[in-house]
Amino acid sequence: MSTATPAPSPTFASEFSRRALFPMVGVVAFAFVLALALIFQLGRQQDEASAAQSRKFVEAALQTRQDALARTLIDYASWGASYEHLHKAVDISWAYEQQNVGPTLFESFGFDYVFVLNPADESVYFVERGGLSTRDPRTFLEGGLMGLVTTARQASGNGTGTDVVVDKLQVDGEPVLMAAA
C-alpha cells in the first residue's frame, strides 16, 4: 500500500488561478494605477500652489518697485529747483552735467528713461539709460504714454498736491514701468 498523496489535479491549479491569483494581480495593478494617479494629482496641486505663490511674489515685487518709483518722482516733481531748471527754461548744465536729474537716476535707481515734457507735450529733456538723448519718447514708448501724462495732469489739477500715476508701458515689446507727475 502506498501512502503517497496524490498529485493535485490540473483542475485545482487552474481553479486557484482563476479564483485567487487573477483577482490578486488585479488588486495590485489597481493599487499601482491609483498610486500613480495620486502622485500626478499631488504634483499638479504643488505646481498650481507654486505658480500662485510665484505670482504673489512677482506682484509684491512689482508693487514695491511702483511705490519706489512714485516716491522718487514725487521728490523730484515737488523739488523747487527742478521746477526752476526744467519747467521755466531747460538748463541742461544743471540737470545733466551737475547730475541733478541725469545719469544718477539710472545708476542709483535703475531708471532707464527720464524725460520732461513741456505743456505742448514735446520732450524738452530726455535721459536714456544714463545718457542724454534727442529721441522723442513718444515714438518708442508703446501703450499710452500720452494717456498716462493726461491722467497725471488731471490728478495734479485737483488741488491735492503732487500726484503720481504709474502704469505699465512697453519699449520694443518689453514691459516697463512708467510714472508721470
Side-chain angles (χ1 to χ4, degrees):
M1 222 182 202
S2 162
T3 60
T5 58
S9 67
T11 57
F12 173 76
S14 64
E15 186 72 19
F16 175 76
S17 295
R18 191 179 49 130
R19 287 194 176 183
L21 188 60
F22 288 142
M24 280 189 225
V25 169
V27 167
V28 169
F30 176 75
F32 182 73
V33 169
L34 183 63
L36 280 177
L38 288 174
I39 288 171
F40 283 118
Q41 175 66 17
L42 287 172
R44 190 176 60 79
Q45 287 175 348
Q46 285 182 340
D47 287 347
E48 288 173 1
S50 177
Q53 187 177 29
S54 293
R55 274 191 301 277
K56 183 178 167 184
F57 288 149
V58 167
E59 288 170 2
L62 187 59
Q63 186 61 50
T64 300
R65 183 70 174 156
Q66 287 176 327
D67 293 345
L69 179 61
R71 280 191 309 274
T72 304
L73 186 56
I74 286 172
D75 288 344
Y76 277 87
S78 60
W79 182 23
S82 66
Y83 180 81
E84 283 292 321
H85 293 279
L86 292 173
H87 182 71
K88 290 184 175 181
V90 178
D91 184 352
I92 299 293
S93 173
W94 177 87
Y96 187 78
E97 293 166 10
Q98 295 175 30
Q99 297 191 15
N100 287 300
V101 184
T104 54
L105 291 173
F106 175 68
E107 296 161 2
S108 300
F109 297 104
F111 293 174
D112 291 322
Y113 308 102
V114 177
F115 55 92
V116 176
L117 299 178
N118 66 14
D121 295 329
E122 299 165 330
S123 175
V124 293
Y125 177 73
F126 182 39
V127 176
E128 183 175 2
R129 294 187 173 96
L132 274 176
S133 178
T134 57
R135 289 199 315 165
D136 184 351
R138 297 173 299 175
T139 62
F140 66 91
L141 285 168
E142 307 156 12
L145 173 64
M146 295 318 299
L148 181 71
V149 170
T150 301
T151 303
R153 285 180 178 155
Q154 290 170 347
S156 68
N158 66 15
T160 61
T162 304
D163 291 311
V164 175
V165 179
V166 180
D167 200 1
K168 296 165 214 68
L169 302 179
Q170 291 187 354
V171 174
D172 298 327
E174 295 292 322
V176 295
L177 285 177
M178 188 62 59

